[in-house]
Amino acid sequence: NRKADSNKYSNGKVFVLSGSRGLTGATYLCSMSALKAGSGAVITGIPESLNDIMEVKMTEVMTIPLAETDDSTLSMHAYDVISEKLKWADAVLIGPGISKNEETCELVRTIVKENDCNFIIDADAIFAFKNNLNLLKNKNIILTPHLGEFSKLTGINPEEIKNDFYKYSTEFSNKYNVILVLKNSPTIVTDGKSFYVN
């Protein structure tokens, strides 16, 4: 229950980094989901050329237009603005619709490497760590790949993962010290010690 004298900023602040041209639906869905799940305040950082349409779609979520690449994806030039919002947030979601643009992937890695936040890394942002898994170590990270993304991230065949998801998910969580939400049917949630099957 929320305290009678609470306000939106005392009930969970979420900063979302999401979106690229053609993938604004992912931004809308994850931002509104954060709000409807109970977050008091949600701020979404998106490529600046997408800001107008997102302000029309989301009246309750605040948006920040950020510097973008020629492909309308988040640019390294946005880092200084992003780093200020990281200090504000209780949780930071990075990835839905963010694209696999090389500069955007570099931005994602820099954010995680240089900051200590409660990160949820999802969708395209997972791709940024394909050959940089050690950047995940010793951070507060929830990683949420589906089976295909986890296979590409680790190089392990999807069928092998399906046949022994307990082994592969717990080994990964222990090695990189992350909470892993391996999305499939069933979905696995593990920190390497506890193990939940949904």
Side-chain angles (χ1 to χ4, degrees):
N1 290 341
R2 295 186 177 187
K3 294 180 180 177
D5 62 349
S6 71
N7 61 64
K8 63 185 176 183
Y9 297 116
S10 59
N11 287 300
K13 304 184 295 291
V14 176
F15 183 38
V16 175
L17 286 167
S18 174
S20 59
R21 188 188 303 132
L23 295 173
T24 54
T27 303
Y28 173 80
L29 289 170
C30 69
S31 300
M32 291 305 294
S33 293
L35 196 68
K36 290 183 178 188
S39 303
V42 179
I43 295 178
T44 298
I46 51 172
E48 57 192 347
S49 64
L50 307 177
N51 189 65
D52 288 353
I53 189 63
M54 295 317 296
E55 285 198 337
V56 170
K57 284 183 73 71
M58 302 189 301
T59 54
E60 295 156 304
V61 174
M62 296 168 274
T63 63
I64 299 179
L66 296 169
E68 62 182 41
T69 66
D70 292 341
D71 294 332
S72 299
T73 67
L74 294 174
S75 163
M76 280 297 296
H77 296 294
Y79 180 75
D80 288 346
V81 175
I82 290 169
S83 64
E84 286 304 308
K85 280 298 163 205
L86 295 176
K87 295 171 192 168
W88 168 86
D90 296 313
V92 180
L93 168 61
I94 309 176
I98 212 168
S99 88
K100 294 181 177 72
N101 176 281
E102 189 175 329
E103 183 177 341
T104 306
C105 286
E106 179 64 23
L107 173 66
V108 169
R109 288 189 293 270
T110 301
I111 290 167
V112 171
K113 183 180 177 183
E114 300 294 331
N115 298 276
D116 290 317
C117 302
N118 295 314
F119 289 113
I120 302 102
I121 299 175
D122 184 47
D124 288 337
I126 295 168
F127 175 81
F129 297 93
K130 186 172 191 289
N131 298 309
N132 298 274
L133 285 169
N134 283 334
L135 293 177
L136 301 173
K137 285 185 174 179
N138 302 315
K139 298 285 183 174
N140 294 318
I141 291 176
I142 299 173
L143 194 70
T144 64
H146 58 58
L147 191 65
E149 289 167 336
F150 189 63
S151 172
K152 288 175 183 169
L153 188 67
T154 59
I156 303 166
N157 183 287
E159 288 304 314
E160 284 186 60
I161 297 167
K162 270 202 247 184
N163 289 335
D164 201 346
F165 50 75
Y166 177 82
K167 172 190 167 188
Y168 289 114
S169 59
T170 54
E171 280 181 356
F172 185 91
S173 289
N174 279 317
K175 184 173 182 180
Y176 297 105
N177 193 30
V178 299
I179 294 173
L180 178 68
V181 180
L182 181 54
K183 298 180 290 192
N184 196 39
S185 182
T187 289
I188 307 307
V189 182
T190 183
D191 61 0
K193 300 167 194 69
S194 300
F195 187 83
Y196 301 90
V197 179
N198 182 354

